[in-house]
Amino acid sequence: MKKKLLIIALCLCVLAVFGFALIPASAQVEATAEGGTDNRALAARFTNMLNRNYCYNADFESEDVLTENSLLALLDKRNAENPDYINEGFVKGFVKDMYGVDIMEINDDAEMHKQGFVYITPRGFTTYRHSIEKISKNEDGSFTVISEVTINPHDDDAFKTTAETLFVPNTSSAFGYNIIYSNLALMTSGI
């Protein structure tokens, strides 16, 4: 029994070391350099949020677009009985935790509407992978994050650009922060 516990503890230590190694080296260095504090935990948290984010530029101006794009981050939460739907509570909770926006009513396709669920409109979608380059703490306690993002459209070749994202602390969010905006740069380069 003691041997099993020792093996489990050893495995957990190895996982913790490898988890830290997954944070890009640039994020580790830059996160520590800005503001003189060690922000590796912030870099990991922000990277996680960025890689779950499907909203950019003008998307933040519309609750409907925020909601529709958030469904992409929740595809693993599809209803087991009917995978064309996600529980409405998951969607509202995610939008509140990620963006700080309270969605009162979700505009759903009337023909496909199901009480308590949100219909997943079939469509191709773009994926985004972020690598943090710089974290800057602002005077108001928010953080501006510059990241390199690899964009992989469903119908075109992948390319890289940068994103500037504003994170605001929110103790009531499951993430501890909300993304207020995330703007992709217009300059892009092919991979």
Side-chain angles (χ1 to χ4, degrees):
M1 181 66 172
K2 288 181 183 180
K3 198 174 195 179
K4 261 187 180 178
L5 289 175
L6 182 62
I7 290 171
I8 290 171
L10 183 60
C11 288
L12 290 174
C13 288
V14 169
L15 286 174
V17 169
F18 280 111
F20 177 74
L22 293 177
I23 299 172
S26 62
Q28 294 173 16
V29 172
E30 195 62 49
T32 304
E34 239 356 87
T37 58
D38 185 1
N39 290 327
R40 288 176 286 198
L42 276 180
R45 182 180 306 249
F46 293 159
T47 300
N48 175 47
M49 290 179 72
L50 286 168
N51 286 332
R52 294 176 58 103
N53 177 44
Y54 289 86
C55 298
Y56 295 94
N57 302 337
D59 294 349
F60 288 86
E61 297 171 13
S62 167
E63 287 184 6
D64 290 340
V65 174
L66 277 177
T67 302
E68 185 68 26
N69 288 350
S70 292
L71 293 176
L72 300 172
L74 298 170
L75 291 176
D76 63 329
K77 303 285 187 205
R78 291 178 178 191
N79 182 270
E81 294 173 17
N82 194 337
D84 292 337
Y85 294 87
I86 296 175
N87 181 296
E88 185 176 283
F90 290 150
V91 178
K92 287 181 176 180
F94 181 83
V95 172
K96 176 74 173 163
D97 285 337
M98 186 69 108
Y99 308 110
V101 176
D102 274 317
I103 303 295
M104 297 314 222
E105 187 175 321
I106 295 177
N107 293 328
D108 208 356
D109 183 341
E111 187 177 311
M112 303 302 289
H113 181 74
K114 217 177 187 189
Q115 187 65 34
F117 292 91
V118 180
Y119 177 67
I120 305 166
T121 305
R123 63 179 173 143
F125 60 93
T126 300
T127 60
Y128 304 86
R129 293 311 280 165
H130 290 262
S131 175
I132 293 180
E133 294 180 349
K134 182 179 179 183
I135 297 175
S136 301
K137 187 170 185 176
N138 303 315
E139 289 181 17
D140 64 358
S142 65
F143 291 87
T144 301
V145 174
I146 305 298
S147 59
E148 180 181 73
V149 56
T150 301
I151 301 174
N152 194 358
H154 76 280
D155 59 354
D156 205 353
D157 294 331
F159 61 94
K160 290 186 179 186
T161 190
T162 58
E164 177 181 274
T165 307
L166 180 65
F167 290 88
V168 173
N170 181 351
T171 55
S172 65
S173 165
F175 297 110
Y177 293 86
N178 294 132
I179 295 175
I180 303 305
Y181 65 77
S182 190
N183 294 326
L184 296 173
L186 297 177
M187 303 285 287
T188 60
S189 65
I191 293 181

